[in-house]
């Protein structure tokens, strides 16, 4: 269960008599980032009853017997230790200092005991690694910062990691993505406990939206763990990233790895936490983003240069992952960055299909299905989840003949950088018109 679902799963336990629902314990460790650590302190530790926000009682607890040093060398002093967790109805782990280090055994035992006694356990960002180390995420859906999601999935294969969600509510265990998504989850907890009015009042005090639509898809850049460099599949992954402009499928990648399709799927998933087809589609969409931002290619040309078999396939995957059509994304991006880059064509130059979409034309967004692959599900606005596929594609050359055209790049070398060369997304990513809202309530 994800986002703002209010249905409580059967996994919830009755709260032990000595615990109180209004008591929130925040578990701090040395080396944790101060921003994530401060989120639950601000949400649950300040009395805002004058604004209509019910009051929680906050217990700040040290998760280990060492000085609690945080960002910038600051040293914190927690007034409580692990023993205070025995009174809390909610325990929040806002962050963990390193995804490569095991958390202290005493803290893990305290978390397991709190969970067994009915406490709600919350992991913000890398705090999910602490919950996973305690075994509290086994067999459950969870999320974390998209950059660390593949490592979480690889290290704890029994956890159902979804890097697309801002937060996941599984009843008595909740996890969130990075930084600001921690605020989203804390507001969701207030909404669950005291209703939408209380959460809205708190959001106004924090000057944040009470609900954010969408997920982490728009921020994804690379979905590969750092350890991939030492794996034999690294060469195949590097080849795929360099040849995204060509039309190839997962069968071709398996052949390059000298593996059967089944073995390749299993190895790839264990390494990255993602199915190879979904990873490949995500990389093609990211490449399309870059071309829409940095070139004047038409949407049809972008589709060909990103390895999609048709512009319809690009539109379907692009909207599914980023909540906007390619043409609308380009228009919004250029409206925010009118200086530099490719000339601004404006919305009146959208291609005919995008015009039809904006005018409300009932066009099915068809998702690409290569031979031997399952069709990807797509939720159309106002309609059920459908599975559509197409088997006959007109031949499309990813390389247009002749030289460069005015306003076009001089080279086709627009393949994504290798994982070790990748950097963060461009700043100022625009708010996209018509973004898909996730189911709520």
């Amino acid at each position: 269960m994800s986002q703002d679902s209010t249905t409580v799963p059967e996994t919830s336990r009755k709260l032990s008599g000595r615990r109180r629902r209004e008591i929130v314990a925040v578990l701090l460790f040395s080396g944790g980032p101060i921003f994530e650590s401060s989120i639950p302190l601000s949400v649950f530790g300040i009395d805002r009853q004058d604004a209509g926000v019910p009051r929680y009682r906050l217990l700040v607890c040290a998760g280990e017997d060492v000085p609690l040093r945080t960002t910038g060398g600051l040293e914190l002093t927690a007034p409580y230790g692990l023993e205070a967790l025995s009174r809390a109805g909610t325990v929040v782990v806002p962050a963990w200092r390193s995804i490569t280090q095991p958390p202290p055994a005493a803290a893990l035992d305290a978390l397991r005991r709190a969970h067994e006694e009915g406490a709600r356990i919350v992991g913000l960002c890398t705090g999910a690694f602490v919950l996973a180390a305690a075994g509290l995420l086994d067999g459950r859906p969870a999320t974390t910062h998209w950059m660390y999601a593949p490592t979480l999935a690889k290290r704890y294969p029994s956890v159902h990691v979804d890097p697309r969600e801002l937060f996941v509510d599984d009843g008595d265990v909740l996890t969130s993505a990075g930084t600001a998504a921690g605020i989203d989850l804390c507001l969701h907890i207030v909404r669950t406990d005291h209703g939408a009015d209380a959460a809205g009042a708190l959001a106004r005090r924090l000057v944040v939206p009470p609900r954010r639509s969408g997920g982490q898809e728009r921020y994804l850049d690379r979905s590969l763990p750092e350890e991939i460099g030492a794996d034999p599949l690294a060469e195949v992954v590097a080849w795929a990233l360099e040849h995204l402009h060509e039309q190839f499928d997962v069968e071709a990648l398996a052949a390059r790895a000298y593996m059967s399709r089944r073995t390749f799927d299993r190895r790839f998933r264990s390494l990255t936490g993602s199915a190879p087809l979904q990873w490949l589609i995500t990389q093609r969409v990211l490449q399309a983003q870059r071309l829409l931002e940095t070139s004047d290619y038409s949407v049809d040309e972008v589709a060909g240069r990103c390895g999609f078999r048709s512009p319809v396939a690009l539109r379907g995957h692009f909207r599914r992952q980023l909540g906007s059509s390619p043409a609308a994304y380009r228009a919004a991006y250029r409206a925010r960055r009118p200086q530099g880059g490719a000339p601004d064509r404006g919305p009146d130059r959208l291609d005919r299909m995008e015009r039809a979409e904006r005018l409300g034309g009932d066009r099915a967004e068809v998702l690409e299905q290569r031979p031997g692959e399952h069709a990807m599900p797509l939720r159309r606005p106002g309609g059920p989840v459908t599975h559509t596929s197409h088997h006959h594609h007109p031949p499309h050359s990813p390389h247009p003949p002749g030289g460069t055209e005015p306003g076009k790049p001089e080279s086709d070398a627009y393949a994504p950088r290798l994982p070790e060369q990748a950097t963060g997304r461009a700043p100022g990513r625009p708010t996209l018109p018509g973004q898909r809202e996730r189911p709520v309530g």
Side-chain angles (χ1 to χ4, degrees), residues 47-60:
D47 186 355
R48 298 186 177 91
Q49 294 181 87
D50 61 319
V53 181
R55 184 175 184 179
Y56 289 87
R57 182 183 175 191
L58 181 70
L59 304 178
V60 182

Side-chain angles (χ1 to χ4, degrees), residues 280-310:
L280 182 58
I281 290 172
T282 297
Q283 298 306 318
R284 293 192 189 281
V285 169
L286 291 172
Q287 176 72 336
Q289 270 188 287
R290 297 183 182 102
L291 289 180
L292 291 168
E293 293 172 1
T294 61
S295 77
D296 200 33
Y297 290 125
S298 69
V299 173
D300 288 17
E301 290 173 311
V302 169
R305 291 173 179 270
C306 296
F308 288 104
R309 293 178 182 267
S310 72

